[in-house]
Amino acid sequence: MNSTEGKKPNIIFVFMDNLGWGELGCYGGGVLRGAPTPRIDGLAAEGLRLLNFNVEAQCTPSRSAVLTGRHPIRSGTQVVQFMGGADGLTRWEVTIAQALSDAGYRTGMYGKWHLGSDVENRSPVEFGFDEAIWSPRTADEVLWTMQSYFPNGEVTSAPYTEEKVKLEYQSIYAKQRGGEAEAIATYDAEFRAGFDRKITEWAIDFIKRAKDEEKPFYLYLPYTQVHIPTIPDPEYAGRTKRGAMADLLVQMDDFTGRILDTLDELGLEEDTIVVWTSDNGPDTTYRMPAMDPDPLGSQWNGFSGPWRGGYLTSLEGSNRAPCLIRWPNKIPAGKVSNELVHAVDTFTTLLCAAGAKVPDDRQIDGMDMRPFLLGEAEESGRDTVLCFQNERLQAIKWRQWKAHFFKQDEFLSTWTPYNVPNLYNLEWDPREEHTVDFPHGWVLHPMLAASTAFFKTLALEPPIKPGTPDPYVPPRPSEIKVKEYTQLGLVTECVSMISRCAAAK
């Protein structure tokens, strides 16, 4: 997986939104969920299917991890910002788009951004994309437009004030390098239904133009489905007669097929790395019928396969996402692996495959997994995954073992700390229902070693606080106050808990 062996590979990164591990046919879903997914299953058969691909628990952190190769706690993107103010990445961060652009790639992004609402200063174009069409935030912001409570988008908070607050529609923006952001559409329920079709069409156009320019390209496609509200494109709504989720399986399968067909038609299939994955585990919310225009009436909730839980938890149903990687004649076809891989690893691996520079002036968490992906090594090289919720280290995975430090079974439930870590073997107990603490407490030692090493890197390079404005300048080593850092959130409590329990056992 080295560009020096030939021309630079094109890269397409498909990023679905809240698609559960068990939805696709190649992961045990498909017809089980109401509709087959033959094109996506074919992509799996032509490349590598990862069973233990780990993402973050929320939309913003996962997108940050993929684009920067850094755990989101480093860049201040560890949580979705709901209440306004500065949000997203600081301009100090280096994205994969910027690194590939510096290496001669044409770069494009179409879909959901969620890494900065400032469309002029923190748009995708400011982070290395030559062009982008995007929603700054997320699809649930169209929900109020689907209700009769706000016919004019105005609300009051009487008797405390008579002032009316105007609810504003979110816009869809387009921007090119060197230009200004232009609002091209209103993100309402109607646009939401057709957004993924437009993403596909924009993507195909980008591929054709990049082909004409004879430049390698990086195409980032953060699709918007199946995030709530799950409204299929009009062409697919009602097609399966099994509800919106099944209709969307057909839709995303067809759209994936259109992109793959474009590569075939242009003779780019063998020169293109395709990564197909999801940002989070599934939503576990059932829709409210009065808010859903789908006359069939269908749920919003997704399917985690054999794993328990959904997004915004640290259960496997949140951590694990489907991930398929195809590079013909490079990555062995039909391979299936349960090796640990994290979203940050795609950053480093793809940059190395492209012959681009991995930033060396900051902490990078992603590993170069080319030997593993190429079939030269059976092991990925990663044995630990740290599972954060905001600033809280909620769980640690080490090989097939997992320790939870807090109990949180649903994303709406209140997290509560355990007196001692709850330890599970994910091979024996995929649903994390039966603790095995005392006979196997020894695994807390390597977990402690890995987490302590990570926290030391945070002391050397203090995390950027969420909402930090630009310009951000990292502190010089002499300015770093380690004692202040170690009070960050509940991280220290987690480390102390692991240490105490490891010593006791």
Side-chain angles (χ1 to χ4, degrees), residues 151-230:
N152 301 314
E154 294 181 344
V155 295
T156 64
S157 55
Y160 303 104
T161 176
E162 294 298 323
E163 181 181 355
K164 290 186 176 181
V165 177
K166 182 73 173 179
L167 296 177
E168 298 291 343
Y169 286 91
Q170 183 179 171
S171 293
I172 303 297
Y173 293 91
K175 190 174 184 178
Q176 294 192 357
R177 190 184 294 268
E180 296 183 353
E182 176 188 3
I184 63 170
T186 297
Y187 200 6
D188 56 14
E190 180 181 0
F191 188 90
R192 195 273 177 286
F195 198 0
D196 281 17
R197 173 184 295 279
K198 294 182 182 296
I199 291 169
T200 306
E201 293 170 348
W202 293 326
I204 291 171
D205 178 66
F206 174 86
I207 294 170
K208 291 179 177 179
R209 287 186 285 114
K211 163 72 172 178
D212 291 341
E213 293 176 11
E214 298 183 345
K215 292 184 65 174
F217 64 81
Y218 169 67
L219 177 58
Y220 175 51
L221 297 178
Y223 277 95
T224 69
Q225 297 289 0
V226 293
H227 193 290
I228 61 172
T230 53

Side-chain angles (χ1 to χ4, degrees), residues 240-314:
T240 67
K241 296 181 171 56
R242 287 181 167 85
M245 194 64 75
D247 293 343
L248 285 167
L249 284 177
V250 175
Q251 174 179 312
M252 71 177 68
D253 195 67
D254 283 0
F255 290 168
T256 298
R258 288 188 60 192
I259 291 173
L260 298 178
D261 288 344
T262 299
L263 295 178
D264 292 344
E265 293 164 6
L266 298 177
L268 298 175
E269 177 186 357
E270 294 191 0
D271 300 325
T272 304
I273 302 170
V274 177
V275 181
W276 200 105
T277 185
S278 175
D279 67 341
N280 303 132
D283 197 334
T284 53
T285 306
Y286 279 84
R287 70 159 179 89
M288 291 169 275
M291 296 171 61
D292 194 333
D294 176 9
L296 293 175
S298 55
Q299 77 284 355
W300 286 347
N301 68 311
F303 182 48
S304 300
W307 318 107
R308 184 162 64 95
Y311 71 168
L312 275 85
T313 73
S314 288

